[in-house]
Amino acid sequence: MRGRMAGPRGAALGLLLALALALDVARGVADQGPSDPVYLPAALELLDAPEHFRVQQVGHYPPANSSLGSRSETFLLLQPWPRAQPLLRASYPPFATQQVVPPRVTQPHQRPVPWDVRAVSVEEAVTPAEPQARVLFHLKGQDWPPGPGSLPCARLHARHPAGTTHRACRFQPSLGACVVELAFPAHWFSPTATTRAELAYTLEPATEGPWGCGPDPGQDDRQDQALPVGSVELRPADPPRYQEVPLDEAVTLQVPDVPVRPGQLFSAALLLRHNFTASLLTLRIKVKKGLHVSAARPAQPTLWTAKLDRFKGSKHHTSLITCHRVEGSEEPDASSSLDLSEFLWVDFLVENGTGGGVAVTRPVTWQLEYPGQAPAAEKDKMVWEMVVSERNIRALVPLAKAEELVNTAPLTGVPRQVPVRLVTVDIGGVLTEVTEHIGCESANTQVLQVSEACDAVFVSGKENRGAQGLRVDFWWRRLRASLRLTVWAPLLPLRVELTDTTLEQVRGWRVPGPAEGIPEPEASVAEEAERRARGCRLQYQRASVRFLVPFAAHPLDGGRPLTYLLGPDWLLDVTHLVATHARVQDPRVASLEGGRVLVGREPGITSIEVRSPLSDSILGEQALAVTDDKVSVLDLRVQPVMGISLALSRGTIHPGEVTATCWAQSAMPAPKQEVALSLWLSFSDHTLAPAELYDHRDLGLSVSAEEPGAVLPAQERGSQLGVVVNGAGSEGLPLHVALHPPEPCRRGARHRVPLASGTAWLGLPPSPTPGPSALPSSPVHSSLVTQTSLGGERQGLGSAGTSGGVRGKFDRAEEGSEAEEEEEEGGGEEEEEMIPAPRRVTSLELGMYALLGIFCLAILIFLVNGVVFVLRYQHKEPPDGAADPASPQPHNWVWLGTDQEELSRQLDRQAPDPPKGEGGCPCESGGGGGEEPPVLAPTSSPSTLTRKEAGGRRKRVEFVTFAKAPPVPLPEEPAGAPAVQSILVAGEDDIRWVCEDMGLKDPEELRSYMERIRGSS
């Protein structure tokens, strides 16, 4: 049977061992699997960038390629700049490096270009009469330095099945724009069909030539990298452009829809409906000086005749044209009454110029009269404004600094705007800015607004949505143009990201300063200063704070789906914009330093919220808790930094996407080389924090090396620790870093045990020692250790004892925690001094207090019971000698037994029965009638009392009293034999005492009890 039991027990034990081993292996795999969220806390910043944001993917911070010795950040550049290429700087004091951001890539297959250029095609079609195609090039972004030396040239390339051609222009410094007027060869035009030519452009440096641009580049690789502009139609003939204006229901005026120049002759036509039946028609035309009617010609001389009469006035000239239907002409066709046919041609001549080349309008008033006309229309006059300009203006073009706008006004309360300038394009490629008499309108004011002067589009923060390709219309005289913009709006609420939402108390870490939340008695200024100097408070964990939000644009129809900036899984970091509007709801629990670091103050629950500067509404909120649960600093992760390297790359999601990656150089240090140490604190609640989050005055850091004089303290730079290395061996030099509380808060034996420690290797660590981000597997033993420390104040260079002292200082965090717990158990008074802040009672303490209360209650009940017992029996007197306190007190012995034979033996040894009525129970005889009991012999006399148990056996109680024997022994007993006194002949007091203890108080019960005793004896 025992062998059968051993089998299952052995199997169960083996299964438990296998399970423990599997858990250990799984724990090791988990430790080596996912990387910890650490990075090199180097500063990455963009210089000379007008508008940029840090961006990140949802749930990917820090990026996967970040480690203890490297960091990667992605930036979004929204407004390019021709002034200078931006710089990206990476720094970790005292090391820094910077690089020029590479040019942006408009399309993935194109080469990077250093300028952001917008190309606008002026003509949609060309004809053999005017074979020139015009394209305006405009530089977007910031202003540029004056002078033509820094601006490039734009070369327009046209490709047609019949061949290729190109031409270049140089950007004008005043507007940052230029126009290429490219004439197509005549053989490109087909007499019968319409063909297309593809347009593209390239940018090239300016030269010192007459046109400022280089010669013909020919067929080279640059044309293959040209950026597309669009296409233009090559038509056989261009139909004239006219504008039709109805004079009344039957007559329509047709006028040219182009500006006219001084000295130009142009014609206007009158159109009649086919159902017009009147035979007489009179037309009055009134014009200002400088414009007159030169002739009136009927379009169909066989049907109508026309007579022109002119009348000159002081300000106006009036022309009267009388038209008669020719007799015998055909009647109009009623079947096509709605069709129009040309009836009369009126020729106009522009006499004088406009002065200064500015376009002006010349009003022309038309009034029509004929028989059968509606009475209401007889007095109607139509005024047509004709544009007269000395320039041949081809188009009106709005120039904007950017084509997209990120609306951050709801977050900051500061309006955002994009400047806009209006220019006209003349024949010959001449650009002229228009500043007066401009009209503008936004297609949706809930997304984008336009200024009254039409010189900017802006958002004020009241807009509630974005849009992609929103149209803004501009007009000047008879010319109109549109500008398309994309507005990105934030999708609220903000995402408030904390590296740790529960801040706990750090075990054993005290920092200088008064305790939070403790009211102190009033004191003088000197006493208050002294108290603050010697006081220490608890240190809570800290967390970094970032504010993120996605930006999106709505469709023009207001529906869905949304278009996200960079993508739906990308967020923009707006911490630098909303940090001034962020606050902690309860500042007693936590505080926000610089808008980026959350500091725990005292236990409690609160939240971080961001208030809108416009409406005081909450833009984003995140709950957090500060608890008095203690966490330990398990270890320090140390990374030596002996230089900074930087690499930049352009992204493909957005033209302004730039990714920067920097990493620490950790090669073999040269003699007298300064080495910076990057520190990360690993806590027992599985959180990590860089040392830069904590105040450098609260960090007591020390660095030790095994070789004497190997390290020297470097210049203090805040929380960043640095040393000067004299040199390292061929196998590398280990540096041991320890974290202590600051020097003013080190009391008792606490300063001997560091809060945590870590090791960094300068150079290549010997195999199989862990890498620079891991702790050594065993404590470091050395006979001589060089140490330098940073703990509020720099300490001098010295040595630290023997190997035992080194082990105690650089021991593992677990051993340090155990020593600290032992210290806390032994040093209660010191701990009370170190914890002045109030704390809540835990559940364990509540249970202990409840158990202590139960113990106290039990003790109290015991004491009360004892007091009651004493009070109950304090009036009792011993049966013998109690009346005479001077007499010696006998010793009374009580024996309990059930042996009837022993009872008979004792009864046989008694004296002869006394006479009846003597010595009985006084209760039976009513107290003995006051008779005195007989005097017994002064010898030891046992008294025996028996009673019957429930099982039929008798219980015997024997009282034996030892007293001095009388000088004369009894004659019945031999000399020296003890005298036995039965309860039947005992004294009255003795019998009463026994009877009361047995609970027999009634006389009848006592008499019956005594009779039963006599019968048994």
Side-chain angles (χ1 to χ4, degrees):
M1 186 66 179
R2 183 175 301 174
R4 294 179 182 178
M5 292 295 292
R9 289 181 180 176
L13 182 60
L15 181 61
L16 291 177
L17 292 176
L19 181 60
L21 181 61
L23 290 177
D24 193 11
V25 173
R27 187 180 299 109
V29 172
D31 292 340
Q32 297 177 1
S35 59
D36 293 327
V38 297
Y39 55 88
L40 180 67
L44 295 173
E45 55 183 348
L46 272 171
L47 307 177
D48 297 331
E51 183 180 12
H52 65 275
F53 292 91
R54 299 174 188 263
V55 296
Q56 74 168 68
Q57 284 185 292
V58 178
H60 291 80
Y61 188 85
N65 58 348
S66 297
S67 64
L68 194 62
S70 64
R71 181 176 187 177
S72 181
E73 289 279 356
T74 302
F75 296 87
L76 180 63
L77 286 70
L78 294 176
Q79 289 189 4
W81 45 95
R83 179 185 297 274
Q85 289 297 312
L87 296 176
L88 202 150
R89 176 183 174 87
S91 62
Y92 192 84
F95 309 104
T97 183
Q98 62 183 18
Q99 285 188 17
V100 177
V101 176
R104 55 191 293 143
V105 179
T106 306
Q107 295 182 3
H109 66 279
Q110 301 291 345
R111 290 180 180 177
V113 292
W115 304 90
D116 187 16
V117 177
R118 177 191 175 206
V120 181
S121 180
V122 177
E123 278 84 11
E124 297 180 355
V126 295
T127 61
E130 292 185 357
Q132 295 87 6
R134 300 172 184 87
V135 177
L136 182 146
F137 296 98
H138 171 232
L139 293 175
K140 296 185 295 184
Q142 279 188 327
D143 296 332
W144 40 88
S150 61
L151 299 182
C153 289
R155 185 172 297 276
L156 181 64
H157 303 269
R159 293 185 179 182
H160 189 266
T164 60
T165 184
H166 59 85
R167 191 174 181 181
C169 72
R170 186 171 184 177
F171 287 93
Q172 301 178 14
S174 59
L175 297 174
C178 69
V179 176
V180 174
E181 191 174 71
L182 182 61
F184 296 148
H187 66 275
W188 285 17
F189 293 90
S190 173
T192 58
T194 300
T195 59
R196 285 186 173 274
E198 298 296 331
L199 303 179
Y201 75 95
T202 57
L203 297 178
E204 57 189 48
T207 61
E208 300 298 333
W211 296 97
C213 297
D216 182 4
Q219 298 293 334
D220 57 1
D221 295 338
R222 183 171 296 178
Q223 296 185 12
D224 297 334
Q225 298 295 330
L227 302 176
V229 175
S231 61
V232 61
E233 292 185 354
L234 280 68
R235 298 174 180 175
D238 186 14
R241 293 180 295 175
Y242 288 103
Q243 180 183 7
E244 294 184 355
V245 180
L247 297 180
D248 66 356
E249 297 179 354
V251 183
T252 299
L253 177 64
Q254 188 181 65
V255 293
D257 193 18
V258 293
V260 296
R261 288 174 291 178
Q264 181 181 355
L265 182 67
F266 66 95
S267 300
L270 266 68
L271 309 178
L272 290 180
R273 295 189 184 275
H274 286 185
N275 61 353
F276 187 77
T277 58
S279 59
L280 177 64
L281 187 146
T282 303
L283 181 63
R284 295 179 183 273
I285 302 174
K286 183 166 51 175
V287 297
K288 285 188 176 183
K289 288 184 177 181
L291 182 67
H292 68 277
V293 178
S294 59
R297 299 173 290 117
Q300 299 177 2
T302 59
L303 300 178
W304 293 89
T305 61
K307 180 184 178 182
L308 176 61
D309 297 322
R310 300 184 183 91
F311 305 95
K312 293 184 179 181
S314 59
K315 293 183 179 180
H316 297 86
H317 298 320
T318 303
S319 299
L320 179 63
I321 302 175
T322 304
C323 300
H324 293 272
R325 188 186 295 272
V326 178
E327 296 181 2
S329 59
E330 298 180 358
E331 294 292 331
D333 187 4
S335 61
S336 57
S337 60
L338 298 180
D339 293 340
L340 297 174
S341 61
E342 291 185 350
F343 158 65
L344 181 68
W345 291 331
V346 180
D347 298 333
F348 292 86
L349 178 64
V350 181
E351 294 181 349
N352 57 352
T354 59
V358 180
V360 296
T361 58
R362 298 290 173 86
V364 180
T365 304
W366 305 75
Q367 185 177 7
L368 186 66
E369 298 176 4
Y370 58 89
Q373 186 180 14
E378 290 183 358
K379 297 182 180 180
D380 289 346
K381 299 179 180 179
M382 196 279 295
V383 179
W384 168 57
E385 291 184 348
M386 180 179 56
V387 179
V388 179
S389 176
E390 294 182 358
R391 298 157 33 204
N392 191 355
I393 300 177
R394 308 302 298 177
L396 177 69
V397 181
L399 306 179
K401 289 290 185 72
E403 293 180 337
E404 61 180 355
L405 176 64
V406 177
N407 186 6
T408 59
L411 307 178
T412 61
V414 179
R416 296 292 314 281
Q417 67 175 8
V418 176
V420 178
R421 305 170 77 175
L422 287 178
V423 298
T424 57
V425 181
D426 297 2
I427 291 179
V430 179
L431 288 177
T432 305
E433 184 176 2
V434 179
T435 58
E436 297 180 352
H437 308 291
I438 305 173
C440 54
E441 183 182 10
S442 174
N444 191 344
T445 57
Q446 295 298 323
V447 177
L448 187 65
Q449 304 181 51
V450 60
S451 62
E452 295 183 358
C454 300
D455 57 353
V457 292
F458 68 94
V459 288
S460 61
K462 300 179 180 179
E463 297 78 13
N464 54 11
R465 49 188 303 229
Q468 193 170 20
L470 180 66
R471 189 185 76 254
V472 180
D473 297 323
F474 297 89
W475 58 86
W476 177 73
R477 305 298 183 183
R478 302 180 65 85
L479 302 176
R480 301 183 68 90
S482 298
L483 180 64
R484 296 280 180 173
L485 294 170
T486 297
V487 180
W488 304 101
L491 297 182
L492 300 175
L494 293 173
R495 301 190 184 188
V496 183
E497 283 199 359
L498 300 176
T499 55
D500 190 2
T501 57
T502 303
L503 305 182
E504 299 173 328
Q505 182 188 142
V506 183
R507 186 187 303 274
W509 194 350
R510 305 294 184 268
V511 295
E516 301 289 342
I518 294 286
E520 298 182 354
E522 296 183 0
S524 62
V525 178
E527 293 177 354
E528 180 69 18
E530 183 180 357
R531 178 187 303 168
R532 290 181 178 272
R534 70 170 183 268
C536 291
R537 57 181 173 84
L538 300 174
Q539 173 73 295
Y540 290 89
Q541 290 177 306
R542 297 191 177 192
S544 62
V545 185
R546 293 184 306 123
F547 303 95
L548 309 172
V549 65
F551 283 81
H554 297 72
L556 295 178
D557 57 0
R560 290 182 178 269
L562 303 178
T563 302
Y564 290 87
L565 181 61
L566 291 181
D569 57 342
W570 285 88
L571 303 174
L572 272 67
D573 190 343
V574 294
T575 306
H576 61 289
L577 299 178
V578 302
T580 55
H581 307 292
R583 66 181 183 89
V584 179
Q585 190 175 11
D586 189 353
R588 298 172 301 176
V589 176
S591 62
L592 202 59
E593 293 184 356
R596 297 176 182 270
V597 179
L598 181 66
V599 181
R601 296 298 181 186
E602 65 179 33
I605 298 177
T606 183
S607 62
I608 296 179
E609 59 184 19
V610 180
R611 293 278 182 175
S612 171
L614 299 176
S615 61
D616 201 33
S617 59
I618 297 179
L619 300 179
E621 188 176 15
Q622 173 63 49
L624 63 99
V626 180
T627 68
D628 55 359
D629 298 337
K630 293 185 179 181
V631 296
S632 302
V633 186
L634 295 183
D635 66 275
L636 291 180
R637 303 192 180 186
V638 188
Q639 171 65 42
V641 180
M642 285 170 280
I644 292 290
S645 300
L646 180 64
L648 304 179
S649 62
R650 280 281 190 176
T652 58
I653 301 177
H654 189 277
E657 181 186 358
V658 179
T659 300
T661 302
C662 68
W663 59 92
Q665 299 175 2
S666 56
M668 190 71 66
K672 302 298 182 180
Q673 180 177 354
E674 185 172 357
V675 177
L677 299 178
S678 171
L679 305 178
W680 278 78
L681 281 65
S682 177
F683 295 97
S684 58
D685 61 348
H686 307 289
T687 59
L688 297 165
E692 282 75 10
L693 291 182
Y694 294 87
D695 192 346
H696 69 279
R697 295 169 295 183
D698 300 339
L699 297 172
L701 299 173
S702 62
V703 181
S704 302
E706 298 182 7
E707 300 179 6
V711 293
L712 299 173
Q715 182 179 0
E716 183 177 357
R717 295 181 179 88
S719 60
Q720 294 170 343
L721 181 63
V723 295
V724 176
V725 181
N726 288 335
S730 59
E731 296 183 355
L733 175 66
L735 295 181
H736 309 290
V737 183
L739 173 65
H740 295 265
E743 186 64 30
C745 297
R746 300 183 191 179
R747 298 185 179 180
R750 185 178 302 275
H751 68 279
R752 293 194 300 267
V753 179
L755 298 176
S757 60
T759 301
W761 284 89
L762 302 180
L764 296 177
S767 180
T769 306
S773 63
L775 290 174
S777 58
S778 62
V780 180
H781 296 267
S782 175
S783 59
L784 187 61
V785 177
T786 303
Q787 173 181 344
T788 177
S789 62
L790 172 67
E793 297 180 356
R794 288 281 181 176
Q795 295 182 355
L797 188 65
S799 60
T802 61
S803 60
V806 175
R807 176 181 175 87
K809 181 165 186 173
F810 297 102
D811 226 347
R812 294 192 135 203
E814 291 81 359
E815 300 174 6
S817 300
E818 294 176 0
E820 184 179 352
E821 291 176 359
E822 294 175 1
E823 179 186 346
E824 290 180 355
E825 293 177 0
E829 296 182 359
E830 178 183 350
E831 188 67 21
E832 289 297 326
E833 293 181 1
M834 300 295 291
I835 307 179
R839 58 187 181 92
R840 295 176 298 178
V841 180
T842 63
S843 57
L844 178 61
E845 292 174 336
L846 288 176
M848 295 176 62
Y849 292 153
L851 188 61
L852 181 61
I854 293 174
F855 288 162
C856 293
L857 182 60
I859 294 173
L860 181 62
I861 293 175
F862 178 77
L863 292 177
V864 171
N865 190 18
V867 170
V868 170
F869 184 81
V870 170
L871 293 178
R872 182 177 179 181
Y873 296 107
Q874 66 179 353
H875 65 281
K876 308 293 183 182
E877 295 180 358
D880 296 332
D884 188 6
S887 62
Q889 299 296 328
H891 299 278
N892 298 328
W893 296 83
V894 179
W895 179 83
L896 301 177
T898 58
D899 192 356
Q900 189 173 3
E901 295 179 357
E902 179 68 14
L903 178 61
S904 301
R905 186 182 63 82
Q906 293 290 346
L907 291 175
D908 292 342
R909 296 176 58 187
Q910 312 183 52
D913 294 339
K916 190 174 182 179
E918 297 179 1
C921 183
C923 302
E924 180 180 355
S925 58
E931 295 181 356
E932 292 292 330
V935 179
L936 303 179
T939 59
S940 62
S941 58
S943 302
T944 304
L945 174 64
T946 62
R947 64 173 181 172
K948 198 170 185 179
E949 295 181 333
R953 301 184 64 183
R954 291 187 178 90
K955 213 172 202 3
R956 183 174 70 248
V957 182
E958 182 178 73
F959 298 89
V960 180
T961 302
F962 298 92
K964 293 183 178 181
V968 180
L970 294 177
E972 293 82 5
E973 294 289 338
V980 178
Q981 180 183 3
S982 173
I983 193 174
L984 302 178
V985 293
E988 181 180 352
D989 294 338
D990 296 340
I991 297 175
R992 185 182 298 111
W993 181 29
V994 173
C995 294
E996 290 179 358
D997 287 345
M998 295 178 62
L1000 302 177
K1001 297 182 180 180
D1002 190 35
E1004 295 296 333
E1005 294 180 358
L1006 292 174
R1007 186 178 299 107
S1008 174
Y1009 179 76
M1010 296 301 298
E1011 289 176 357
R1012 288 197 302 270
I1013 292 177
R1014 291 191 185 96
S1016 62
S1017 58

